[in-house]
Structures are given as structure tokens and as C-alpha cells.
Amino acid sequence: QSVMTQPPSVSGAPGQRVTISCTGSSSNIGTGYDVHWYRHLPGTAPKLLIFGHNNRPSGVPDRFSGSRSGTSASLAITGLQVEDEADYYCQSYDSSLSGYVFGSGTRVTVL
Amino acid sequence: EEQLLESGGGLVQPGGSLRLSCAASGFTFNNYAMNWVRQAPGKGLEWVSIISGSAATTHYADSIKGRFTISRDNSKNTLYLQMDSLRADDTAVYYCARSDWRRSDSFDIWGQGTLVTVSS
């Protein structure tokens, strides 16, 4: 069981905006450790979408944005596209575990 | 092009051992810390271990501590994961991933993964 919780699934129609929450605790997000977001299609290499709360690597469209507040973080996807269907994971560092942790993962479905 | 390529996965009996390799290319390998991350069937991503660029420092997830050993050979641009005392719940796709200090230590480059199946 992950120490950072995400909704199992979110869905939206093409062109809509969806958000994925990542609820942590005082030993990870709440301490101020950076939050990163990844997209993953099982069987393929995960891809970095957002690093350091709200920074996008080159090549990632600005439809993806991140935010953080207290012990939680969020990923927003605007202008939802069919190719956005995938699993999304948040990641941070946890001082209690002395290691990195991933969120439980969220499956995004485009209706 | 910066790339990572895992190898060494396969079928192993409970209690057995396996060594995974991750060959890096396209970047200065010893400038970066490296990680192993796994995904069990139907489960999410789980961080396994990290090793610093010089190999001086290593850290492990509690779930594999004492059974797995991470190492690297910077002369060969290769990362390793020695897995001993394997259990059924170690069955997973294992990915190697680069920690990018320029991007808040996020995992910016990933391999395609190698499947480890622990079963009798």
C-alpha cells in the first residue's frame, strides 16, 4: 500500500480538463520534498511529465501542469486527447522511509 | 540519444538468485545517480534502490533490504541489481531509471524494463 494516495481512475471527454490528486503526509509532500509526475503505459518506459512541482521537461506540452498545497499535489491535464489515456503516478521522497515513493497510480480514460 | 537498456530477467525458483543489468548510452554515466523501479502484475510503480554516481552511497526500499544489492561499473556504463532469496512477490517488471540532479532528482530517463518471474 502506497504512502501517497491517488484516485484509481479519472475520465473525461476529449477537450475537457481533468485533475489527478496525490495525497501524501508530513513525511513526504508536507515536508517540502519535490513532487514529480510520470505517465506510464504498461510494458513501456514511464515518461517524466512534471518535475519539481510544476516544471515541464522539453517536449512535454503545456496542457500538463502541476501544483502543490500542504501535504497534497495535483496534476492537471487540459484539452484532453485520446493519446492521454495512460496511468499517471506522482513521486516524492519520504523521510520516514528514507527513500523515494510513488503514488498509487491513476488510470486516465478518455470517453 | 540518451538510452537505458535492461537485461537479465527471466524465470527463477523461489529462493533463487538473478542479476539484472542496465546498459547506459548517450550520456556521461558517472555523473548521475541511478535507480531500480519495479512494477508487479496489476500493481503500481515501486521504487527499489538508488546508487550515487560514484557508487559511494546506496539506499534500498524496506521490502528488499538485505536481499538485493545495487552496484555499478562506470567503466562499462552499466548498472546492476543482484537479487538473492527471491520470493514470489518479487515478480515484476524491473526498470532502471536515471536521477537527474538538474531536474530536482526526478527520474528523467527510463529503460523498457525486464520481466522477472519467481515461481516453482
Side-chain angles (χ1 to χ4, degrees), chain B residues 53-85:
Chain B
S54 66
T57 305
T58 60
H59 294 285
Y60 299 92
D62 288 343
S63 60
I64 56 87
K65 200 171 292 183
R67 300 187 299 120
F68 290 10
T69 303
I70 192 171
S71 63
R72 63 192 296 162
D73 185 336
N74 287 340
S75 68
K76 297 181 178 179
N77 291 343
T78 303
L79 172 72
Y80 302 101
L81 185 67
Q82 176 66 40
M83 303 185 295
D84 299 318
S85 302

Side-chain angles (χ1 to χ4, degrees), chain A residues 34 36 38 40 42-46 48 51-52 57 89 91 97-100 102 104, chain B residues 35 37 39 43-47 50 62 95 102-108 110-112:
Chain A
D34 287 315
H36 316 302
Y38 303 87
H40 185 217
T44 68
L48 177 65
F51 66 92
Y89 294 89
Q91 182 215 5
L97 299 175
S98 297
Y100 290 103
F102 286 93
S104 49
Chain B
N35 301 268
V37 177
Q39 183 177 38
K43 303 294 185 181
L45 298 175
E46 178 189 15
W47 174 79
I50 187 171
D62 288 343
Y95 298 94
R102 301 164 299 178
R103 298 188 177 115
S104 306
D105 292 327
S106 58
F107 297 177
D108 68 327
W110 296 67
Q112 293 293 320

